[in-house]
Amino acid sequence: MEKVVLANDHGAVDLAAAIRKHLESRGFEVCHLGVFTEESVDYPDMAQKAVEEFRRGGYAFGVLCCGTGIGISVAANKMKGIRCALPQNIFAARMCREHNDANFIAFGGRIDYPEPPLAMLDAYIDASFQGGRHARRVEKMMALEGR
Ligand code: RB5
């Protein structure tokens, strides 16, 4: 069974629960690190927890959620080896895997998406990295780390 790590702040409790349920219905084992209530937490802490768990190995990808998806994705992208995408719609969700080889995907619990976020997640899951010229660009992107 493929594993996914999931973490969220208080701005996305309901969305994260829906994502967890959806992932489980698709046959993934989900390591959900919380949070589970609307008591305020800091999104960088949740991003850090998720990335540290991801680095333990065996995860297909990670999902991060906060109010907008912005803070938690920016925080995750500060950590080495992470490419966390924050797609706007189904097309971008597919492309972030095909072109950017995103290993995390983020969503905003307070965002009114033009398409259902669970359909965006499906597009990401069902896509594959295309390699080729995109591999060169991903390598260049990762070479920017720490500069
Ligand atoms: C928390 O209020 C909020 O700032 C957070 O969930 C997220 O939207 C930050 O980017």
Side-chain angles (χ1 to χ4, degrees):
M1 188 183 275
E2 285 196 297
K3 289 199 304 174
V4 176
V5 60
L6 168 66
N8 56 280
D9 78 356
H10 55 284
V13 172
D14 290 347
L15 178 60
I19 286 174
R20 176 186 183 158
K21 194 171 159 203
H22 186 69
L23 287 168
E24 287 173 345
S25 77
R26 286 201 51 156
F28 290 98
E29 180 184 331
V30 181
C31 173
H32 189 183
L33 300 170
V35 294
F36 304 101
T37 73
E38 284 170 20
E39 190 176 331
S40 184
V41 294
D42 294 337
Y43 56 80
D45 296 336
M46 300 314 297
Q48 183 180 350
K49 279 186 188 177
V51 170
E52 286 174 353
E53 179 60 31
F54 180 78
R55 285 176 175 164
R56 289 162 64 93
Y59 286 94
F61 60 90
V63 182
L64 296 172
C65 304
C66 67
T68 58
I70 296 170
I72 203 161
S73 59
V74 171
N77 280 317
K78 295 287 180 191
M79 296 183 73
K80 201 166 166 53
I82 301 307
R83 292 179 299 282
C84 182
L86 179 60
Q88 307 93 325
N89 53 26
I90 290 173
F91 171 74
R94 176 163 57 83
M95 296 303 281
C96 78
R97 186 158 244 186
E98 290 189 357
H99 286 195
N100 312 120
D101 198 19
N103 48 16
F104 271 77
I105 186 166
F107 296 96
R110 297 171 182 157
I111 297 295
D112 190 11
Y113 283 101
E115 294 170 306
L118 297 182
M120 293 164 61
L121 180 59
D122 281 339
Y124 169 78
I125 292 169
D126 295 334
S128 306
F129 182 48
Q130 289 182 346
R133 67 186 185 281
H134 304 296
R136 182 183 69 243
R137 292 165 186 164
V138 169
E139 272 173 34
K140 285 187 175 184
M141 181 163 59
M142 300 319 284
L144 294 173
E145 272 178 340
R147 296 191 60 180

